[in-house]
Amino acid sequence: MSIIEPNPLLSAPSGALRVPKYPAISTGSKDCILFSLIIPTYNERDNITNVIQVLTKLLDSSIYGDYELIVVDDDSPDGTWEVAASLMTSYPQLRVMRRVGERGLSQAVIRGWQVAKGRILGVIDGDLQHPPHVMLQLLRAVEEGADLAVGSRHVDGGGVSSWSVVRRFLSRGAQVLGLIILPGVLGRVSDPMSGYFMVQRNSVAEITLHPVGYKILLEIIGRGNIQEIAEVGYVFNERVEGESKVTWKQYIDYLRHLIRLRLTTGHLERMNKRLNFPIGRFLRFGVVGFSGLGVDLTVFYILRQIFELGLTRSTILSAETAIINNFLWNDIWTFHDISSRQTGKGARLKRFLKFNVICLAGVILQALIVNLLYNVLKVNEYLAKLIAIAVVVLWNFWVNLKLSWRVTDVKK
Ligand code: GDD
Ligand code: MN
């Protein structure tokens, strides 16, 4: 005899953000369906019941039994997942994922797609700002052969209900910036910021996605296998319940996302592959280097002016402070992926000592190069110094990459 239990919550997949080509087969249920719609939520307790009800009504009327709704909640403090889970008995096509530990809108959507059973994958906000009836038009466009159908505020029938001048400006500004950095992606749709769209599973399957922040559509267009795109106009509704999670952080994330896509897709990626040079890492290393320069000069100034220390001592102490500064930032940022797999004080100390030695060797190397260029090759001394710095930065980066943050130490 079996007791009737409420459906258990879906557990979030871990590892790479990659949608399988075929849905995982689960016993007892239909393996493949037409449509899976993800509803990402964070603190949408007051909206979720409504959302599920409206979407169900709409989809039941057109593709009854051939779709599923998947709420992906990032462990909302207001317990959205709990409310959603309580709806599962009345809505058998509803599944709920509670993600603990990982957060972020784009990731949530992909995690949902990873467990989805549909041939068409979609996403809609969980706050009713995306008008539900547009969904059927989007769905039809994909069924009729589009690889991607995007709800757009900037085509006929689209708009924003009552955004302030500032928000319109920021939104358009972000779009223009995106067009400059990534024309091949943002130029393909009128509303690349849209979070309301549907895509063929085939177009995104087996591609590892690396989104940052909110704008998952950029990732889909940038990395997906998308030929035909359809756009359907919609008016972005005002929020009635709850509040938007957009902060300045989303703007930073957006910028990071643009740069990442720029460097890892298209012809720049092909060039990088050929050169086999970790350009992103090198850029971060350079930023850290600049911060080190600031630290070095500041500490040097304090030691000289306030503590009235001698020139040599001040130079050595400030340089060492900068080395420590650089090490810490490189460890937690530039080489984060590597250091996070080699935790423990011992391992970090080992990395620090290597880094230190390599940087000191770099200083000696710099002195040698300056001398060679200036005394032997008669190069202007400032130019000599500049060339020496460039060579040593590359030296520092390359040798630290190979020795300090080495992947071979990684524990499996
Ligand atoms: N799981 C999860 N995790 N969901 C999140 C997170 C998160 O970290 N952050 C936000 N959400 C959910 C919200 O609960 C909501 O359902 C949806 O994602 C959109 O978040 P809002 O905070 O309401 O964003 P918005 O209204 O400013 O912007 C939305 O609409 C734009 C226009 O279409 C976003 O979806 C944008 O991506 C979209 O372009
Ligand atoms: Mn919203």
Side-chain angles (χ1 to χ4, degrees):
M1 202 184 81
S2 68
I3 334 161
I4 296 174
E5 275 185 47
N7 281 334
L9 294 181
L10 291 167
S11 50
S14 57
L17 294 164
R18 191 205 295 253
V19 177
K21 196 164 171 63
Y22 302 102
I25 292 167
S26 57
T27 43
S29 62
K30 216 171 154 190
D31 298 330
C32 201
I33 52 179
L34 177 68
F35 180 45
S36 298
L37 182 64
I38 308 302
I39 307 152
T41 57
Y42 194 75
N43 287 346
E44 303 290 0
R45 187 190 185 92
D46 297 331
N47 285 314
I48 193 66
T49 309
N50 238 331
V51 171
I52 298 301
Q53 193 203 329
V54 175
L55 293 175
T56 298
K57 200 166 162 218
L58 212 65
L59 287 166
D60 274 354
S61 73
S62 62
I63 49 167
Y64 181 84
D66 215 7
Y67 74 97
E68 62 181 351
L69 303 174
I70 305 179
V71 170
V72 182
D73 185 69
D74 284 358
D75 204 18
S76 297
D78 78 352
T80 306
W81 54 273
E82 219 168 11
V83 180
S86 75
L87 298 171
M88 284 195 296
T89 31
S90 333
Y91 299 95
Q93 80 287 19
L94 172 64
R95 302 202 284 160
V96 178
M97 183 188 292
R98 177 189 179 190
R99 293 203 314 155
V100 185
E102 236 185 15
R103 251 211 77 182
L105 176 49
S106 297
Q107 278 84 354
V109 175
I110 301 168
R111 290 301 184 207
W113 287 344
Q114 284 182 291
V115 303
K117 293 186 269 187
R119 290 195 299 283
I120 299 173
L121 307 173
V123 54
I124 188 169
D125 284 357
D127 55 8
L128 293 169
Q129 288 196 275
H130 292 154
H133 66 271
V134 171
M135 190 173 49
L136 297 184
Q137 286 167 267
L138 292 171
L139 199 54
R140 199 166 315 124
V142 178
E143 280 182 288
E144 282 168 5
D147 298 302
L148 171 73
V150 181
S152 168
R153 291 162 294 178
H154 309 311
V155 295
D156 268 359
V160 287
S161 18
S162 64
W163 275 15
S164 68
V165 181
V166 177
R167 183 150 188 205
R168 277 171 212 262
F169 179 78
L170 282 176
S171 176
R172 282 301 195 178
Q175 194 177 345
V176 171
L177 185 72
L179 271 170
I180 296 169
I181 301 181
L182 211 58
V185 171
L186 281 94
R188 291 191 67 188
V189 283
S190 66
D191 189 0
M193 311 296 173
S194 178
Y196 193 10
F197 64 90
M198 259 141 241
V199 65
Q200 300 271 10
R201 173 189 289 270
N202 277 340
S203 301
V204 290
E206 281 166 4
I207 297 171
T208 304
L209 303 167
H210 299 276
V212 196
Y214 255 46
K215 299 305 170 191
I216 184 180
L217 181 58
L218 299 182
E219 187 71 12
I220 300 307
I221 301 177
R223 292 188 209 278
N225 195 352
I226 311 280
Q227 267 87 45
E228 197 188 321
I229 303 181
E231 297 195 82
V232 179
Y234 83 90
V235 178
F236 196 64
N237 291 328
E238 283 305 294
R239 223 183 218 280
V240 183
E241 301 289 346
E243 51 195 53
S244 167
K245 282 90 209 172
V246 172
T247 60
W248 59 270
K249 186 180 175 289
Q250 266 75 49
Y251 290 93
I252 308 272
D253 279 348
Y254 170 66
L255 200 64
R256 284 178 51 212
H257 196 186
L258 287 178
I259 294 171
R260 179 182 287 185
L261 276 169
R262 176 73 280 177
L263 295 174
T264 57
T265 60
H267 62 273
L268 261 184
E269 187 215 12
R270 286 191 290 277
M271 197 176 83
N272 284 338
K273 275 216 174 119
R274 219 172 301 139
L275 287 174
N276 196 18
F277 187 77
I279 181 97
R281 223 193 267 287
F282 182 68
L283 288 177
R284 281 175 285 179
F285 191 82
V287 170
V288 171
F290 259 102
S291 84
L293 190 65
V295 168
D296 199 336
L297 289 174
T298 312
V299 172
F300 182 76
Y301 177 83
I302 293 173
L303 292 179
R304 291 291 289 150
Q305 299 299 314
I306 301 174
F307 293 95
E308 293 177 1
L309 231 58
L311 186 63
T312 309
R313 284 184 192 189
S314 300
T315 306
I316 293 174
L317 283 175
S318 62
E320 186 57 32
T321 316
I323 288 178
I324 294 172
N325 167 81
N326 290 11
F327 172 77
L328 289 176
W329 286 113
N330 281 325
D331 208 49
I332 58 178
W333 185 43
T334 313
F335 297 100
H336 168 261
D337 52 328
I338 297 170
S339 56
S340 66
R341 285 176 288 173
Q342 301 167 12
T343 49
K345 286 213 171 67
R348 179 175 268 204
L349 184 67
K350 211 167 114 189
R351 289 195 296 274
F352 174 66
L353 292 177
K354 285 184 189 169
F355 181 77
N356 221 322
V357 170
I358 293 164
C359 288
L360 291 177
V363 175
I364 297 171
L365 181 66
Q366 208 186 109
L368 288 175
I369 296 173
V370 170
N371 267 292
L372 176 80
L373 290 172
Y374 178 69
N375 291 324
V376 183
L377 300 175
K378 308 286 176 220
V379 174
N380 167 293
E381 65 181 68
Y382 289 98
L383 185 62
K385 172 81 176 157
L386 220 67
I387 295 172
I389 289 174
V391 173
V392 169
V393 166
L394 277 170
W395 149 275
N396 273 348
F397 177 67
W398 199 250
V399 181
N400 275 307
L401 177 70
K402 293 294 167 205
L403 294 182
S404 306
W405 287 276
R406 207 176 32 181
V407 205
T408 45
D409 277 0
V410 172
K411 271 183 262 151
K412 278 278 152 61

